[in-house]
Amino acid sequence: MAVTDEAIEKIKGMIVSGALRPGARLPKESELAAELGLSRNSLREAVRALSLIRILDVRQGDGTYVTSLDPQLLLEALSFVVDFHRDDTVLEFLAVRRILEPAATALAATRLDEEQLDALSEQLDRLGDEPPVEDLVAADLEFHRSIVRGSGNSVLCSLLDGLSGPTTRARIWRGLTQEDAVGSTLREHRAILAALRNRDAEAARSWATVHIASVEQWLRSTL
């Protein structure tokens, strides 16, 4: 494993230094192994590991390439790891969302255009006043995803997209068991949207914090 780690570090060094750029094709295995002073087996293991986390793209019959290194692509690995969360860590995921998502919402208040805001409004209108809990949670995910995407920060968007999954079951559970959970969620969405329309970044931040904190507080009281 130490030899494979060394091989990974050497390939990483080539990418970080700019010797290998996004989209670049790696030299032939024999040439790269000789250049880096590695065995072909350790190089092969390193390439396999880096392809799993979307750093390299192995194309059968064509060669191995550096990926685009786009944040969304790289953070797919985070989503994979997050899928293995335990139920007792959901509060920790909510706490991270409460730190990051209000900041993204505040950014979006200055960057979303009228067409994007109208799309958010239409999405809320389609839900109606008493949507099924599962529909509400699905719409909730898309509502926040659209807002975070509107922040213009692709890294923040990818991080929050990966972190939202573990909290889905808790939100459905809340909708089924807490009185007026559906109604309060819809009201909070409307308040967030109103703040976004008013270009009031601090109000948008505050309402996003309230929205996530309400789920967090309910979950703490039920565990």
Coordinates of all heavy atoms in Angstrom, one line a residue, residues 11-88:
I11 N 1.8 11.0 -9.2 CA 0.8 11.4 -10.3 C 0.2 12.7 -9.9 O 0.0 13.7 -10.7 CB -0.2 10.3 -10.6 CG1 0.5 9.1 -11.1 CG2 -1.2 10.8 -11.6 CD1 -0.4 7.9 -11.2
K12 N -0.2 12.8 -8.6 CA -0.8 14.0 -8.1 C 0.1 15.2 -8.3 O -0.3 16.3 -8.7 CB -1.2 13.9 -6.6 CG -1.7 15.1 -5.9 CD -1.8 14.9 -4.4 CE -2.1 16.2 -3.7 NZ -2.2 16.0 -2.2
G13 N 1.4 15.0 -8.0 CA 2.4 16.1 -8.2 C 2.4 16.6 -9.6 O 2.6 17.8 -9.8
M14 N 2.3 15.7 -10.6 CA 2.4 16.1 -12.0 C 1.1 16.9 -12.3 O 1.2 17.9 -13.1 CB 2.4 14.8 -12.9 CG 3.7 14.0 -12.8 SD 3.7 12.6 -13.9 CE 3.9 13.4 -15.5
I15 N 0.0 16.6 -11.7 CA -1.2 17.3 -12.0 C -1.2 18.7 -11.4 O -1.5 19.7 -12.0 CB -2.5 16.5 -11.6 CG1 -2.6 15.2 -12.4 CG2 -3.7 17.4 -11.7 CD1 -3.7 14.3 -11.9
V16 N -0.8 18.7 -10.1 CA -0.7 20.0 -9.4 C 0.3 20.9 -10.0 O 0.0 22.2 -10.0 CB -0.4 19.7 -7.9 CG1 -0.2 21.0 -7.1 CG2 -1.6 18.9 -7.2
S17 N 1.4 20.4 -10.4 CA 2.5 21.2 -11.0 C 2.1 21.8 -12.4 O 2.7 22.7 -12.9 CB 3.8 20.5 -11.1 OG 3.7 19.4 -12.1
G18 N 1.1 21.1 -13.0 CA 0.7 21.6 -14.4 C 1.4 20.7 -15.4 O 1.1 20.9 -16.6
A19 N 2.2 19.8 -15.1 CA 2.8 18.9 -16.1 C 1.7 18.1 -16.8 O 1.9 17.7 -17.9 CB 3.8 17.9 -15.4
L20 N 0.7 17.7 -16.0 CA -0.5 17.1 -16.6 C -1.7 18.0 -16.4 O -2.1 18.3 -15.3 CB -0.8 15.7 -16.0 CG 0.2 14.6 -16.4 CD1 -0.1 13.4 -15.5 CD2 0.0 14.2 -17.8
R21 N -2.3 18.5 -17.5 CA -3.4 19.5 -17.4 C -4.7 18.7 -17.5 O -4.8 17.6 -17.9 CB -3.3 20.5 -18.5 CG -2.0 21.2 -18.7 CD -1.7 22.2 -17.5 NE -2.7 23.2 -17.5 CZ -2.8 24.2 -16.6 NH1 -1.9 24.2 -15.6 NH2 -3.7 25.1 -16.6
P22 N -5.8 19.3 -17.0 CA -7.1 18.7 -17.2 C -7.4 18.3 -18.7 O -7.1 19.1 -19.6 CB -8.1 19.8 -16.8 CG -7.3 20.6 -15.8 CD -5.9 20.6 -16.3
G23 N -7.8 17.1 -18.9 CA -8.0 16.6 -20.3 C -6.8 16.0 -20.9 O -6.9 15.4 -22.0
A24 N -5.6 16.1 -20.3 CA -4.4 15.6 -20.9 C -4.4 14.1 -20.8 O -4.8 13.5 -19.9 CB -3.2 16.2 -20.2
R25 N -3.7 13.5 -21.8 CA -3.5 12.1 -21.9 C -2.2 11.7 -21.2 O -1.2 12.4 -21.4 CB -3.5 11.6 -23.3 CG -3.4 10.1 -23.4 CD -3.4 9.7 -24.9 NE -3.3 8.3 -25.1 CZ -3.4 7.6 -26.2 NH1 -3.8 8.3 -27.3 NH2 -3.2 6.3 -26.3
L26 N -2.2 10.7 -20.3 CA -1.0 10.3 -19.6 C -0.1 9.5 -20.6 O -0.6 8.9 -21.6 CB -1.4 9.3 -18.5 CG -1.6 10.0 -17.1 CD1 -2.8 10.8 -17.1 CD2 -1.7 8.9 -16.0
P27 N 1.2 9.6 -20.4 CA 2.1 8.9 -21.3 C 1.8 7.4 -21.1 O 1.1 6.9 -20.2 CB 3.5 9.2 -20.7 CG 3.3 10.5 -20.0 CD 1.9 10.5 -19.4
K28 N 2.3 6.6 -22.1 CA 2.2 5.1 -22.0 C 2.6 4.6 -20.6 O 3.6 5.2 -20.0 CB 2.9 4.5 -23.1 CG 2.4 4.7 -24.5 CD 3.2 4.0 -25.6 CE 2.6 4.2 -27.0 NZ 3.4 3.5 -28.0
E29 N 2.0 3.6 -20.2 CA 2.3 3.0 -18.9 C 3.8 2.8 -18.7 O 4.4 3.1 -17.6 CB 1.5 1.7 -18.7 CG 1.7 1.1 -17.3 CD 0.9 -0.2 -17.1 OE1 -0.3 -0.1 -16.8 OE2 1.5 -1.2 -17.4
S30 N 4.4 2.1 -19.6 CA 5.9 1.8 -19.5 C 6.7 3.1 -19.4 O 7.6 3.2 -18.6 CB 6.4 1.0 -20.6 OG 6.1 1.6 -21.9
E31 N 6.4 4.1 -20.2 CA 7.1 5.4 -20.2 C 6.9 6.1 -18.8 O 7.8 6.6 -18.3 CB 6.7 6.2 -21.3 CG 7.0 5.6 -22.7 CD 6.4 6.5 -23.8 OE1 5.8 7.5 -23.5 OE2 6.5 6.1 -25.0
L32 N 5.6 6.2 -18.4 CA 5.4 6.9 -17.1 C 6.0 6.2 -15.9 O 6.5 6.9 -15.0 CB 3.8 7.0 -17.0 CG 3.4 7.9 -15.8 CD1 3.9 9.3 -15.9 CD2 1.8 7.9 -15.7
A33 N 5.9 4.9 -15.9 CA 6.5 4.1 -14.8 C 8.0 4.4 -14.7 O 8.6 4.7 -13.6 CB 6.3 2.6 -15.0
A34 N 8.7 4.4 -15.9 CA 10.1 4.7 -15.9 C 10.4 6.1 -15.5 O 11.3 6.4 -14.7 CB 10.7 4.4 -17.3
E35 N 9.6 7.1 -16.0 CA 9.8 8.5 -15.6 C 9.7 8.8 -14.2 O 10.4 9.6 -13.6 CB 8.8 9.3 -16.4 CG 8.9 10.8 -16.2 CD 7.8 11.6 -16.9 OE1 7.2 11.1 -17.8 OE2 7.6 12.8 -16.5
L36 N 8.7 8.1 -13.5 CA 8.4 8.3 -12.1 C 9.2 7.4 -11.2 O 9.1 7.5 -10.0 CB 6.9 8.2 -11.8 CG 6.0 9.2 -12.5 CD1 4.5 8.9 -12.2 CD2 6.4 10.6 -12.1
G37 N 9.9 6.4 -11.8 CA 10.7 5.5 -11.0 C 9.8 4.5 -10.2 O 10.1 4.1 -9.1
L38 N 8.7 4.1 -10.9 CA 7.8 3.2 -10.3 C 7.7 1.8 -11.0 O 8.0 1.8 -12.2 CB 6.4 3.8 -10.3 CG 6.2 5.2 -9.6 CD1 4.9 5.8 -10.0 CD2 6.3 5.0 -8.1
S39 N 7.2 0.8 -10.3 CA 6.9 -0.4 -11.0 C 5.6 -0.2 -11.8 O 4.7 0.6 -11.4 CB 6.8 -1.6 -10.0 OG 5.6 -1.5 -9.3
R40 N 5.4 -1.0 -12.8 CA 4.2 -0.9 -13.6 C 3.0 -1.3 -12.8 O 1.9 -0.8 -12.9 CB 4.3 -1.7 -14.9 CG 5.3 -1.1 -15.8 CD 5.5 -1.9 -17.1 NE 4.3 -1.9 -18.0 CZ 4.3 -2.3 -19.2 NH1 5.4 -2.9 -19.7 NH2 3.2 -2.2 -20.0
N41 N 3.2 -2.3 -11.9 CA 2.1 -2.7 -11.0 C 1.6 -1.6 -10.1 O 0.4 -1.4 -9.9 CB 2.5 -4.0 -10.2 CG 2.4 -5.2 -11.0 OD1 1.7 -5.3 -12.0 ND2 3.1 -6.3 -10.6
S42 N 2.6 -0.9 -9.4 CA 2.2 0.1 -8.5 C 1.5 1.3 -9.2 O 0.6 1.9 -8.8 CB 3.4 0.6 -7.7 OG 4.4 1.2 -8.5
L43 N 2.0 1.6 -10.4 CA 1.4 2.6 -11.3 C 0.0 2.3 -11.6 O -0.9 3.1 -11.6 CB 2.3 2.9 -12.5 CG 1.7 3.9 -13.5 CD1 1.6 5.3 -12.9 CD2 2.6 4.0 -14.8
R44 N -0.2 1.0 -12.0 CA -1.5 0.5 -12.4 C -2.5 0.7 -11.2 O -3.6 1.1 -11.4 CB -1.4 -0.9 -12.8 CG -2.5 -1.4 -13.8 CD -2.2 -2.7 -14.3 NE -1.1 -2.7 -15.2 CZ -0.1 -3.6 -15.2 NH1 0.0 -4.5 -14.3 NH2 0.9 -3.4 -16.1
E45 N -2.1 0.3 -10.0 CA -2.9 0.5 -8.8 C -3.2 1.9 -8.5 O -4.4 2.3 -8.1 CB -2.2 -0.2 -7.6 CG -2.2 -1.7 -7.6 CD -3.5 -2.3 -7.7 OE1 -4.4 -1.9 -7.0 OE2 -3.7 -3.3 -8.5
A46 N -2.2 2.8 -8.7 CA -2.5 4.2 -8.5 C -3.5 4.8 -9.5 O -4.4 5.5 -9.1 CB -1.1 5.0 -8.6
V47 N -3.4 4.4 -10.7 CA -4.3 4.8 -11.7 C -5.7 4.4 -11.4 O -6.7 5.1 -11.5 CB -3.9 4.3 -13.1 CG1 -5.0 4.6 -14.1 CG2 -2.6 5.1 -13.6
R48 N -5.8 3.1 -11.0 CA -7.1 2.6 -10.6 C -7.7 3.4 -9.4 O -8.9 3.7 -9.5 CB -7.0 1.1 -10.2 CG -8.3 0.4 -10.0 CD -8.2 -1.1 -9.7 NE -7.7 -1.8 -10.8 CZ -6.5 -2.4 -10.9 NH1 -5.7 -2.4 -9.9 NH2 -6.1 -3.0 -12.0
A49 N -6.9 3.7 -8.4 CA -7.4 4.4 -7.3 C -7.9 5.8 -7.7 O -8.9 6.3 -7.3 CB -6.4 4.5 -6.2
L50 N -7.1 6.5 -8.5 CA -7.4 7.9 -8.9 C -8.6 7.9 -9.9 O -9.3 8.9 -9.9 CB -6.1 8.5 -9.6 CG -5.0 8.8 -8.6 CD1 -3.7 9.2 -9.3 CD2 -5.4 9.9 -7.6
S51 N -8.8 6.8 -10.6 CA -10.0 6.8 -11.4 C -11.3 6.7 -10.6 O -12.3 7.2 -11.0 CB -9.9 5.7 -12.5 OG -10.0 4.4 -11.8
L52 N -11.2 6.0 -9.5 CA -12.3 5.8 -8.6 C -12.8 7.2 -8.0 O -14.0 7.4 -7.8 CB -12.0 4.9 -7.5 CG -11.9 3.4 -7.9 CD1 -11.4 2.6 -6.7 CD2 -13.3 2.9 -8.3
I53 N -11.9 8.1 -7.8 CA -12.2 9.4 -7.3 C -12.3 10.5 -8.3 O -12.2 11.7 -8.0 CB -11.3 9.8 -6.1 CG1 -9.9 9.8 -6.5 CG2 -11.5 8.9 -4.9 CD1 -8.9 10.4 -5.4
R54 N -12.4 10.0 -9.6 CA -12.6 10.9 -10.7 C -11.5 11.9 -11.0 O -11.7 13.0 -11.6 CB -13.9 11.7 -10.5 CG -15.2 10.9 -10.2 CD -15.5 10.0 -11.5 NE -16.9 9.5 -11.3 CZ -17.1 8.2 -10.8 NH1 -16.1 7.5 -10.5 NH2 -18.3 7.8 -10.8
I55 N -10.3 11.5 -10.6 CA -9.1 12.3 -11.0 C -8.6 11.9 -12.4 O -8.3 12.7 -13.2 CB -7.9 12.1 -10.0 CG1 -8.4 12.5 -8.6 CG2 -6.7 12.9 -10.5 CD1 -8.7 14.0 -8.4
L56 N -8.7 10.6 -12.7 CA -8.3 10.0 -14.0 C -9.4 9.3 -14.6 O -10.3 8.8 -13.9 CB -7.1 9.1 -13.8 CG -5.8 9.7 -13.2 CD1 -4.7 8.6 -13.1 CD2 -5.3 10.8 -14.1
D57 N -9.4 9.3 -15.9 CA -10.5 8.6 -16.7 C -9.8 7.5 -17.6 O -9.0 7.9 -18.5 CB -11.2 9.6 -17.5 CG -12.3 9.0 -18.4 OD1 -12.7 7.8 -18.1 OD2 -12.7 9.6 -19.4
V58 N -10.0 6.3 -17.3 CA -9.4 5.2 -18.0 C -10.3 4.8 -19.1 O -11.4 4.4 -18.9 CB -9.1 4.0 -17.1 CG1 -8.5 2.8 -18.0 CG2 -8.2 4.4 -16.0
R59 N -9.9 5.0 -20.4 CA -10.7 4.7 -21.6 C -10.1 3.5 -22.3 O -9.0 3.5 -22.8 CB -10.7 5.9 -22.5 CG -11.2 7.2 -21.8 CD -11.1 8.3 -22.8 NE -11.4 9.6 -22.1 CZ -11.3 10.8 -22.6 NH1 -10.9 10.9 -23.9 NH2 -11.5 11.9 -21.9
Q60 N -10.8 2.4 -22.2 CA -10.3 1.1 -22.8 C -10.0 1.3 -24.2 O -10.8 1.8 -25.0 CB -11.4 0.0 -22.6 CG -11.6 -0.4 -21.1 CD -10.3 -1.0 -20.5 OE1 -9.5 -1.6 -21.1 NE2 -10.1 -0.7 -19.2
G61 N -8.8 0.9 -24.6 CA -8.4 1.0 -26.0 C -7.9 2.3 -26.5 O -7.6 2.5 -27.6
D62 N -8.0 3.3 -25.6 CA -7.6 4.7 -26.0 C -6.5 5.2 -25.1 O -5.6 5.9 -25.6 CB -8.9 5.6 -25.9 CG -8.6 7.0 -26.4 OD1 -7.6 7.2 -27.0 OD2 -9.4 7.9 -26.1
G63 N -6.6 5.0 -23.8 CA -5.5 5.5 -22.9 C -6.2 6.0 -21.6 O -7.4 5.9 -21.4
T64 N -5.3 6.6 -20.8 CA -5.8 7.2 -19.5 C -5.6 8.7 -19.6 O -4.6 9.2 -20.0 CB -5.0 6.7 -18.4 OG1 -5.2 5.2 -18.3 CG2 -5.4 7.3 -17.0
Y65 N -6.6 9.5 -19.2 CA -6.7 10.9 -19.3 C -6.9 11.5 -17.9 O -7.6 10.9 -17.0 CB -7.8 11.4 -20.2 CG -7.6 11.0 -21.7 CD1 -7.8 9.7 -22.1 CD2 -7.1 12.0 -22.6 CE1 -7.6 9.4 -23.5 CE2 -6.9 11.6 -23.9 CZ -7.1 10.3 -24.3 OH -6.9 10.0 -25.7
V66 N -6.4 12.7 -17.7 CA -6.8 13.5 -16.5 C -8.3 14.0 -16.8 O -8.6 14.4 -18.0 CB -5.9 14.7 -16.3 CG1 -6.3 15.6 -15.1 CG2 -4.5 14.3 -16.2
T67 N -9.1 13.9 -15.9 CA -10.5 14.4 -16.1 C -10.5 15.9 -16.2 O -9.5 16.6 -16.0 CB -11.4 14.0 -14.9 OG1 -11.0 14.6 -13.7 CG2 -11.4 12.4 -14.8
S68 N -11.7 16.5 -16.3 CA -11.8 17.9 -16.3 C -11.5 18.6 -14.9 O -11.3 19.8 -14.9 CB -13.3 18.3 -16.7 OG -14.2 17.9 -15.6
L69 N -11.5 17.7 -13.9 CA -11.2 18.2 -12.5 C -12.3 19.2 -12.1 O -12.0 20.0 -11.2 CB -9.8 18.8 -12.4 CG -8.6 17.8 -12.7 CD1 -7.3 18.6 -12.5 CD2 -8.7 16.6 -11.9
D70 N -13.4 19.1 -12.7 CA -14.6 20.0 -12.3 C -15.0 19.6 -10.9 O -15.0 18.5 -10.5 CB -15.7 19.7 -13.3 CG -16.9 20.6 -12.9 OD1 -16.9 21.8 -13.3 OD2 -17.9 20.1 -12.3
P71 N -15.3 20.6 -10.0 CA -15.6 20.3 -8.6 C -16.8 19.4 -8.5 O -16.7 18.5 -7.6 CB -16.0 21.7 -8.1 CG -15.2 22.7 -8.9 CD -15.2 22.1 -10.3
Q72 N -17.8 19.5 -9.3 CA -18.9 18.6 -9.2 C -18.5 17.1 -9.4 O -19.0 16.2 -8.8 CB -20.0 19.0 -10.2 CG -21.3 18.2 -10.0 CD -22.5 18.8 -10.8 OE1 -22.3 19.8 -11.5 NE2 -23.6 18.2 -10.7
L73 N -17.6 16.9 -10.4 CA -17.1 15.6 -10.7 C -16.3 15.1 -9.5 O -16.5 13.9 -9.1 CB -16.3 15.7 -12.0 CG -15.7 14.3 -12.5 CD1 -16.8 13.4 -13.0 CD2 -14.7 14.6 -13.6
L74 N -15.4 15.9 -9.0 CA -14.5 15.4 -7.9 C -15.3 15.1 -6.7 O -15.0 14.2 -5.9 CB -13.4 16.5 -7.7 CG -12.5 16.8 -8.8 CD1 -11.5 17.9 -8.4 CD2 -11.7 15.5 -9.2
L75 N -16.3 15.9 -6.4 CA -17.1 15.7 -5.2 C -18.1 14.6 -5.3 O -18.8 14.3 -4.3 CB -17.8 17.1 -4.8 CG -16.8 18.1 -4.3 CD1 -17.5 19.5 -4.2 CD2 -16.3 17.7 -2.9
E76 N -18.2 13.9 -6.4 CA -19.0 12.7 -6.5 C -18.5 11.7 -5.4 O -19.3 10.9 -4.9 CB -18.9 12.1 -7.9 CG -19.8 12.8 -8.9 CD -19.7 12.1 -10.3 OE1 -19.2 11.0 -10.4 OE2 -20.3 12.7 -11.2
A77 N -17.2 11.7 -5.2 CA -16.6 10.8 -4.2 C -17.2 11.1 -2.8 O -17.4 10.1 -2.0 CB -15.1 10.9 -4.2
L78 N -17.4 12.3 -2.5 CA -18.0 12.7 -1.2 C -19.4 12.1 -1.1 O -19.8 11.6 -0.1 CB -18.1 14.2 -1.1 CG -18.9 14.8 0.1 CD1 -18.2 14.4 1.4 CD2 -19.0 16.3 0.0
S79 N -20.2 12.2 -2.2 CA -21.6 11.7 -2.1 C -21.5 10.2 -1.9 O -22.4 9.7 -1.2 CB -22.3 12.0 -3.5 OG -22.4 13.4 -3.7
F80 N -20.6 9.5 -2.5 CA -20.5 8.1 -2.3 C -20.2 7.7 -0.8 O -20.8 6.9 -0.2 CB -19.4 7.5 -3.2 CG -19.1 6.0 -3.0 CD1 -20.0 5.1 -3.7 CD2 -18.1 5.5 -2.3 CE1 -19.8 3.8 -3.6 CE2 -17.9 4.2 -2.2 CZ -18.8 3.3 -2.8
V81 N -19.3 8.5 -0.2 CA -18.9 8.3 1.2 C -20.1 8.6 2.1 O -20.4 7.9 3.1 CB -17.7 9.1 1.6 CG1 -17.4 9.0 3.1 CG2 -16.5 8.6 0.8
V82 N -20.8 9.7 1.8 CA -21.9 10.2 2.6 C -23.0 9.1 2.7 O -23.7 9.0 3.7 CB -22.4 11.5 2.1 CG1 -23.8 11.8 2.6 CG2 -21.5 12.6 2.5
D83 N -23.2 8.3 1.6 CA -24.2 7.3 1.6 C -24.0 6.3 2.7 O -24.9 5.5 3.0 CB -24.2 6.6 0.2 CG -24.8 7.5 -0.9 OD1 -25.6 8.4 -0.5 OD2 -24.6 7.2 -2.0
F84 N -22.8 6.2 3.3 CA -22.5 5.2 4.3 C -22.7 5.8 5.7 O -22.3 5.2 6.7 CB -21.1 4.7 4.2 CG -20.9 3.8 3.0 CD1 -20.4 4.3 1.8 CD2 -21.3 2.5 3.0 CE1 -20.2 3.5 0.7 CE2 -21.1 1.7 1.9 CZ -20.6 2.2 0.7
H85 N -23.4 6.9 5.8 CA -23.6 7.6 7.1 C -24.4 6.7 8.0 O -25.2 5.9 7.6 CB -24.3 8.9 7.0 CG -25.7 8.8 6.7 ND1 -26.2 8.5 5.4 CD2 -26.8 9.0 7.5 CE1 -27.6 8.5 5.5 NE2 -27.9 8.8 6.7
R86 N -24.3 6.9 9.3 CA -25.1 6.2 10.3 C -26.2 7.2 10.7 O -26.0 8.4 10.7 CB -24.3 5.8 11.6 CG -23.1 5.0 11.3 CD -22.4 4.5 12.6 NE -22.3 5.6 13.5 CZ -21.2 6.4 13.5 NH1 -20.2 6.3 12.7 NH2 -21.1 7.4 14.4
D87 N -27.3 6.6 11.2 CA -28.5 7.5 11.6 C -28.1 8.5 12.6 O -28.6 9.6 12.7 CB -29.6 6.6 12.1 CG -30.3 5.9 10.9 OD1 -30.1 6.3 9.7 OD2 -31.1 5.0 11.2
D88 N -27.1 8.1 13.5 CA -26.8 9.0 14.6 C -25.9 10.2 14.2 O -25.5 11.0 15.0 CB -26.2 8.3 15.8 CG -24.9 7.5 15.4 OD1 -24.5 7.6 14.2 OD2 -24.2 6.9 16.3

